[in-house]
Amino acid sequence: MPPIKDHPLRYGLANELHARPFPALGVPSTAVFLAIKQEHGAAGRDRAADMAHLVALLDRHGAAHPQPGATHYSGPIGRHTLKWESHTEFVTYTAFSEGQGKRPFDPADFEVFPPDWLAEAPGLRITSALIRIQPLKDDDALSADIAEWFVPDSVAVARVLDNAAVIAGDFRIDPAGHQRLLISVSPETGPRRVGRIMQRLCEIETYKSMSMLGFSRVGELSPRMGELENRMRAMIGDMTGGEKKAEETLPDLLDISAELEAMVTQSSFRFGATEAYETIVNQRISVLREDRFKGRQTFAEFMMRRYDPAMRTVRSAQDRLRAMADRARRAGELLRTRVDVERSAQNQALLESMDRRADLQLRLQKTVEGLSVVAISYYAVSLAGYLLYPLTGVLGVSKGLITAAVTLPVVAAVWLLVRRIRRKFH
């Protein structure tokens, strides 16, 4: 009996769940992270350019190339291990190595990505980070390090994964242009758990930055939304007060409705992506299972105070834009209904005017018919007279008497004939 056939996507879909394993990191170690995104149309970008940029970096170190069409790669480049991932709108590079330099968060660590190679990137940097992974110190020593390396008013610190590590970051860009992230690892924490913590922190930073693009989009849309809302409010007021004719208001209202629909269409992807990225940020923070460290704010608290208001602004702007588009659509429908009613009234008045004119024409026609009977009778009597005049001598009567005798019968015959013709056509 032949074996059952597999669906052509079975293995690919199963392997996709295991396609991006977490790195295994020793302690101490150093990691650098970079996320690149095209400024416009990133979701539809040429992914071959991303692959070519990765291959250019691998070729500098004589490293093996990824499979054609790959969306992830992991392998050694010199003394570092590189992890590359392609996402919907961006690509990420993470390079990590064992050991640490004397200077914490040394910008020289980022030199694993050569400046000329960075200059040829098919996109722009959306974020980058220097990550220091060190053994866990006592609380006082760790607090001193955090006070030295991070901005005190925005730093977030937390114990994570049941005291497996203490993480810290201030979500600020340092003078070298990078974010700083610290992972202080307990002795009993294994390399794979360290790799998961590092990966989660990079994801939090990346998706936070990506979701803030929605907040920037709101800043671009808000002034124009305010202008359109004021115009629409004034138009609806004119509709209510009857100060302008519906035919004059309708074109302007349709222009506003069309512009709002265009804004909704152009912003729908960004707002949808922002919602998805926000969800990922909150999920990544929740799986860290944070506990407070010496009364400091946790990552979740930082996001609640600084990040969540921005996301609420995005959702509010999205709802406002949709509501404005719906309101403009309803007002346009109401105005079109008013125009239709007014035109119906005009058409009714026109029909009544046409009825009056038809009635007048009918009266005029009857009058003309009466005159036509007289005219036709006149000529018919004349013809009858000419026909009967030779009988005057035989009958001994005058021409006038014969004319008078035939006048009434001729008029009656003409009248009956005209009436019959009119009935035939009506």
Side-chain angles (χ1 to χ4, degrees):
M1 178 178 177
I4 188 171
K5 292 184 178 180
D6 286 324
H7 189 282
L9 299 179
R10 180 190 176 202
Y11 285 96
L13 295 176
N15 293 334
E16 183 64 25
L17 300 178
H18 312 284
R20 306 183 187 200
F22 296 104
L25 300 179
V27 182
S29 59
T30 302
V32 293
F33 176 78
L34 172 66
I36 298 174
K37 175 190 176 299
Q38 286 190 4
E39 186 172 8
H40 303 290
R45 68 187 184 279
D46 180 11
R47 296 177 186 269
D50 296 336
M51 180 63 70
H53 193 230
L54 169 65
V55 169
L57 179 63
L58 298 176
D59 287 344
R60 290 174 181 250
H61 300 275
H65 292 181
Q67 295 292 327
T71 58
H72 57 89
Y73 171 85
S74 182
I77 54 169
R79 68 181 186 87
H80 295 82
T81 299
L82 177 68
K83 188 173 187 291
W84 174 86
E85 294 182 351
S86 176
H87 299 265
T88 302
E89 290 193 87
F90 58 91
V91 295
T92 61
Y93 292 82
T94 310
F96 39 88
S97 60
E98 298 291 335
Q100 293 175 338
K102 295 182 179 180
R103 180 183 175 186
F105 302 104
D106 190 349
D109 293 335
F110 207 78
E111 293 176 0
V112 63
F113 302 128
D116 59 331
W117 177 83
L118 291 172
E120 297 172 355
L124 306 175
R125 173 171 57 179
I126 189 68
T127 189
S128 62
L130 301 174
I131 305 166
R132 181 179 177 86
I133 303 169
Q134 66 180 23
L136 183 62
K137 301 179 180 180
D138 63 79
D139 290 355
D140 292 337
L142 183 56
S143 296
D145 289 342
I146 291 172
E148 179 182 355
W149 297 337
F150 299 99
V151 178
D153 63 348
S154 58
V155 67
V157 188
R159 301 183 187 275
V160 297
L161 300 178
D162 304 321
N163 293 324
V166 174
I167 60 174
D170 58 9
F171 300 97
R172 292 181 179 269
I173 300 175
D174 69 10
H178 310 295
Q179 302 275 350
R180 293 182 176 185
L181 295 169
L182 173 66
I183 305 174
S184 294
V185 183
S186 299
E188 63 274 11
T189 303
R192 293 195 177 278
R193 173 166 277 195
V194 176
R196 285 198 295 272
I197 295 172
M198 188 273 297
Q199 183 71 22
R200 296 303 184 216
L201 291 178
C202 292
E203 290 172 349
I204 290 170
E205 169 56 29
T206 304
Y207 289 114
K208 171 189 68 68
S209 300
M210 290 296 300
S211 58
M212 290 300 291
L213 293 176
F215 183 73
S216 175
R217 180 64 176 159
V218 170
E220 297 171 0
L221 292 177
S222 292
R224 185 56 181 164
M225 288 171 61
E227 295 174 5
L228 294 177
E229 194 168 31
N230 291 334
R231 285 179 57 190
M232 188 163 58
R233 187 183 299 113
M235 288 182 183
I236 294 176
D238 292 340
M239 290 170 53
T240 304
E243 298 178 1
K244 293 180 65 175
K245 293 183 178 180
E247 292 88 344
E248 299 175 0
T249 306
L250 183 58
D252 292 338
L253 188 57
L254 292 179
D255 288 342
I256 292 176
S257 180
E259 185 171 353
L260 288 171
E261 289 294 341
M263 293 170 69
V264 170
T265 301
Q266 294 167 2
S267 304
S268 60
F269 175 81
R270 177 51 53 207
F271 287 154
T274 296
E275 183 178 358
Y277 295 148
E278 178 194 5
T279 300
I280 293 174
V281 169
N282 292 329
Q283 286 178 344
R284 296 301 186 264
I285 292 177
S286 67
V287 298
L288 289 174
R289 303 198 302 273
E290 293 183 292
D291 292 317
R292 194 177 300 279
F293 175 84
K294 297 194 70 172
R296 300 291 187 93
Q297 67 175 346
T298 63
F299 279 61
E301 286 179 308
F302 176 90
M303 294 299 178
M304 180 186 65
R305 294 177 55 245
R306 310 288 182 91
Y307 174 74
D308 288 352
M311 296 300 99
R312 285 195 294 271
T313 299
V314 174
R315 289 192 292 273
S316 174
Q318 183 179 14
D319 294 341
R320 178 189 177 194
L321 185 57
R322 289 175 177 171
M324 288 176 61
D326 291 340
R327 191 159 61 248
R329 193 179 305 112
R330 290 194 300 270
E333 292 173 354
L334 177 62
L335 202 56
R336 279 193 292 268
T337 301
R338 178 173 293 181
V339 171
D340 291 341
V341 170
E342 291 178 355
R343 288 178 178 174
S344 297
Q346 293 174 357
N347 292 338
Q348 183 66 30
L350 179 61
L351 290 174
E352 292 176 355
S353 175
M354 292 174 63
D355 288 341
R356 288 193 298 270
R357 286 197 297 270
D359 184 61
L360 291 175
Q361 289 175 355
L362 181 60
R363 293 179 183 179
L364 180 61
Q365 181 180 354
K366 291 181 179 180
T367 302
V368 172
E369 287 176 357
L371 294 176
S372 66
V373 168
V374 174
I376 294 171
S377 299
Y378 173 79
Y379 288 106
V381 168
S382 297
L383 291 175
Y386 287 123
L387 181 64
L388 298 174
Y389 285 163
L391 299 177
T392 56
V394 177
L395 298 176
V397 293
S398 63
K399 293 181 179 179
L401 184 59
I402 289 178
T403 301
V406 300
T407 298
L408 289 178
V410 169
V411 171
V414 171
W415 180 79
L416 290 173
L417 179 63
V418 171
R419 185 179 180 185
R420 183 178 180 183
I421 294 173
R422 186 177 65 188
R423 286 183 175 178
K424 184 177 181 179
F425 287 99
H426 292 281

